[in-house]
Amino acid sequence: MIGNGGCRTFSPIGQSMDYAAQELKKYSDTAARRSKMGLEGDGADPNSFAAKLKKADEYIASGESCGATDSVGIILRQMGEPQPGEPVTKAVIHNGVSVVVEKDYLRGNSITIGGSSNPNWIHVATSEGTVHIDLNDLDSLMKCLDMFSPEDLNLILRKITEARQAKDALQEIDNMRNTPVESAEEKKEEESDS
């Protein structure tokens, strides 16, 4: 084990640095004892060093490549293929945000990020599928930006900007309609039409 030796340096705690060897010996002794007793499994705590080392060895032996497991592309590759009328859905929590990824035979892939009690959804077509974003819950999107490629991020942010500009323009039009000058002109037009 390593402890803080002061002055921002680290020094060994105790005389020996063979913690890993001791843990592996404990693991192998437990596994051998369980085998002699006819018990299944190795009896190791799944969070122990030896169990994690064994899992890493099995992963390397499987031939799979190591990489991020939380990008949308990787999640889609890990999911099964949909059948007509039977979409495949996977819900994950990424940085505390619910992300629902769905593969549908007819509609394609869809990714839904977060959501609020009063949603204002926009839909963005990306290389991974259609991303559904709640404009009233952009905090959730900000926590999930690392799940998308730079190109898809550009598409998402551009669509959000367009949606906000359109909303601001509509708000400006509503404000102009409700001004007293505009209302007076409308009344004059109505009177002249009568």
Side-chain angles (χ1 to χ4, degrees):
M1 303 240 351
I2 296 176
N4 188 348
C7 298
R8 299 190 192 271
T9 61
F10 295 96
S11 60
I13 297 175
Q15 299 294 332
S16 65
M17 292 287 292
D18 61 351
Y19 173 76
Q22 291 173 0
E23 288 295 309
L24 289 173
K25 182 169 180 0
K26 263 197 271 184
Y27 171 77
S28 62
D29 291 346
T30 302
R33 190 175 333 108
R34 290 181 62 86
S35 177
K36 284 182 184 177
M37 298 169 125
L39 298 173
E40 290 186 18
D42 54 20
D45 177 16
N47 295 320
S48 71
F49 172 77
K52 289 179 181 177
L53 184 62
K54 180 181 176 188
K55 188 175 179 182
D57 287 341
E58 289 171 351
Y59 182 76
I60 290 170
S62 72
E64 290 186 42
S65 62
C66 184
T69 58
D70 56 357
S71 76
V72 173
I74 291 172
I75 292 170
L76 285 166
R77 282 194 298 273
Q78 292 173 343
M79 295 171 64
E81 290 303 314
Q83 300 300 318
E86 296 177 18
V88 178
T89 304
K90 183 173 185 176
V92 296
I93 302 294
H94 181 77
N95 292 334
V97 176
S98 172
V99 179
V100 179
V101 181
E102 180 180 271
K103 282 181 158 182
D104 189 283
Y105 187 78
L106 294 175
R107 293 180 293 162
N109 301 335
S110 69
I111 302 101
T112 305
I113 300 173
S116 65
S117 58
N118 185 19
N120 182 11
W121 296 104
I122 62 169
H123 313 285
V124 185
T126 66
S127 64
E128 303 294 347
T130 303
V131 181
H132 307 286
I133 301 165
D134 182 4
L135 289 176
N136 294 333
D137 187 20
L138 289 180
D139 291 339
S140 294
L141 174 66
M142 294 304 141
K143 293 178 182 178
C144 296
L145 290 179
D146 58 338
M147 296 182 75
F148 297 96
S149 69
E151 295 81 14
D152 289 344
L153 274 178
N154 192 18
L155 291 170
I156 290 169
L157 296 176
R158 186 179 301 135
K159 184 73 171 189
I160 290 172
T161 303
E162 289 172 3
R164 283 187 164 177
Q165 288 174 345
K167 182 179 176 183
D168 291 345
L170 288 173
Q171 185 67 36
E172 187 67 29
I173 291 169
D174 280 347
N175 289 343
M176 289 175 68
R177 284 185 180 162
N178 295 329
T179 59
V181 173
E182 191 72 30
S183 298
E185 289 177 6
E186 287 178 5
K187 286 182 182 178
K188 287 181 184 178
E189 289 176 11
E190 288 176 7
E191 289 173 4
S192 65
D193 290 338
S194 305

